[in-house]
Amino acid sequence: MTTPICLVGIGKIAVDQHVPAINASADWTLAATVSRSGTVDGVPAFDNFDHMLAERPDISVVSLCLPPVPRFDYAAKAIAAGRHVMLEKPPGATLAEVQILQAMAQDAGVTLFATWHSRMAKGVAPAKAWLAGKTITGGQITWKEDVRRWHPGQDWVFEPGGMGVFDPGSNALSIMTEILPVPVFLQKATLEFPANRDTPIAAQMQWSHNVKGDFDWRQEGPQSWDITIATTAGTLTLHDGGARLLIDGVEQHAGPDREYPALYDRMVDLIRTGACDVDLAPMVHVADALTLGKRVTVAPFAF
Ligand code: NAP
């Protein structure tokens, strides 16, 4: 038997990842969409979330693919209506709002899953296992991509709450906070804000344990999603956003890459066990960067 699910916010990530992951799963049926303009062929479409909640009591799970700022209101309504909820990353515009959603979900007895898709990349679990118990001597995150390619025309990423380069950067932070055997804290950051925008387009970060991060949204050509962690017992490298793992330069074989299908598998388990999974650690580092970081102004940005 499959579980009916509703996808909300039919934009780039819903079309690229969520719809294929749901359609390929034996556990789920895409039973409805809610979007002001987007639809999925053959799936009942609503343009009003309240109407969907009222008219489709059979749909027990809602997956929110909206940008972070509008997401809270949708999540709160879904929880109040007794639905289980999946949140795209980053899970909200602020830490406090996600904590409130978590408390609401617990009170309502429904599952809230704040997803971090990069944690499902195939090299991440073996990287965490290899680093367990080891002594970290340093680390380097290099997360450089082309915002025009991954967020074409999406002005929300440069509006307050859009988080700028920390939108993709939170993927790196989700891996860092998952695999490191010790917690690290931010000591210094420089944030580059385009003169015409409200969020940073690049950031250089320095954490404790000599872990550094270089985030940039202006990289054309090959994209860089790499993390290297040095330990007293060798060096670990994740390439391609966590899909490839190397230990001391030797490629490891970690199985099939299925980030979004794995998120939906996990949601099945969370609902079955009556659990929530809400880890704000990656967002804490984003908030700390915006608290501690030195702001510099760089050239205006246009899509
Ligand atoms: P998007 O295409 O700009 O937005 C998704 C949809 O959300 C839009 O199509 C829009 O649908 C709806 N929406 C936008 N603003 C809204 C508002 N103020 N109120 C109600 N609905 C609104 O963005 P996306 O790239 O899919 O990203 C969405 C989320 O997925 C973000 O949190 C992002 O970090 C995450 N994500 C994105 C990528 C990527 O490569 N782009 C990868 C992984 C995760 P309607 O206008 O039809 O309502």
Side-chain angles (χ1 to χ4, degrees):
M1 205 178 90
T2 62
T3 303
I5 188 169
C6 174
L7 270 186
V8 183
I10 305 303
K12 186 169 187 334
I13 200 61
V15 170
D16 287 359
Q17 297 290 347
H18 290 259
V19 172
I22 291 168
N23 284 343
S25 171
D27 294 316
W28 299 99
T29 298
L30 183 53
T33 60
V34 179
S35 210
R36 297 164 306 185
S37 51
T39 58
V40 174
D41 281 351
V43 178
F46 292 79
D47 60 8
N48 180 299
F49 190 54
D50 296 332
H51 294 170
M52 190 285 295
L53 289 173
E55 292 172 28
R56 294 297 304 269
D58 60 306
I59 295 178
S60 56
V61 185
V62 171
S63 182
L64 299 179
C65 307
L66 308 156
V69 168
R71 207 179 291 139
F72 175 86
D73 289 343
Y74 286 79
K77 281 183 180 179
I79 293 167
R83 314 301 165 89
H84 306 290
V85 175
M86 286 175 77
L87 305 172
E88 247 299 351
K89 53 89 335 203
T94 69
L95 295 164
E97 72 182 46
V98 183
Q99 289 169 334
I100 289 169
L101 291 178
Q102 187 173 12
M104 287 176 66
Q106 272 155 3
D107 288 349
V110 299
T111 291
L112 180 67
F113 181 18
T115 66
W116 296 105
H117 66 84
S118 291
R119 286 183 173 176
M120 298 300 191
K122 66 182 177 185
V124 172
K128 178 176 182 172
W130 187 83
L131 284 169
K134 292 197 167 64
T135 302
I136 304 300
T137 57
Q140 175 66 48
I141 297 170
T142 304
W143 222 255
K144 297 185 176 183
E145 62 174 61
D146 183 354
V147 64
R148 292 186 178 91
R149 182 163 151 196
W150 301 104
H151 293 276
Q154 295 179 8
D155 279 315
W156 64 263
V157 297
F158 286 114
E159 291 166 1
M163 295 180 214
V165 76
F166 292 119
D167 178 89
S170 66
N171 297 334
L173 300 174
S174 74
I175 296 175
M176 179 185 86
T177 49
E178 176 72 7
I179 67 174
L180 285 183
V182 286
V184 294
F185 64 93
L186 191 67
Q187 296 173 315
K188 192 175 175 185
T190 301
L191 311 177
E192 298 182 25
F193 284 72
N196 59 339
R197 300 287 182 168
D198 293 321
T199 63
I201 197 164
Q204 300 84 46
M205 317 266 277
Q206 164 81 58
W207 287 274
S208 57
H209 290 80
N210 195 29
V211 178
K212 298 184 171 117
D214 194 358
F215 302 82
D216 204 318
W217 235 351
R218 298 165 296 194
Q219 174 138 313
E220 295 174 357
Q223 309 285 279
S224 309
W225 299 296
D226 306 315
I227 299 177
T228 297
I229 306 293
T231 77
T232 53
T235 299
L236 172 149
T237 307
L238 286 166
H239 288 305
D240 300 346
R244 289 177 54 215
L245 171 64
L246 287 78
I247 307 288
D248 291 329
V250 179
E251 187 105 28
Q252 313 289 305
H253 297 285
D257 201 21
R258 48 191 308 279
E259 292 183 20
Y260 278 83
L263 292 178
Y264 280 94
D265 290 350
R266 171 118 179 95
M267 187 64 177
V268 170
D269 285 343
L270 290 170
I271 292 171
R272 186 175 45 79
T273 56
C276 288
D277 179 348
V278 180
D279 180 9
L280 285 171
M283 250 181 96
V284 167
H285 291 288
V286 175
D288 283 359
L290 295 168
T291 306
L292 185 67
K294 174 182 167 64
R295 176 181 175 137
V296 297
T297 302
V298 297
F301 176 84
F303 278 106

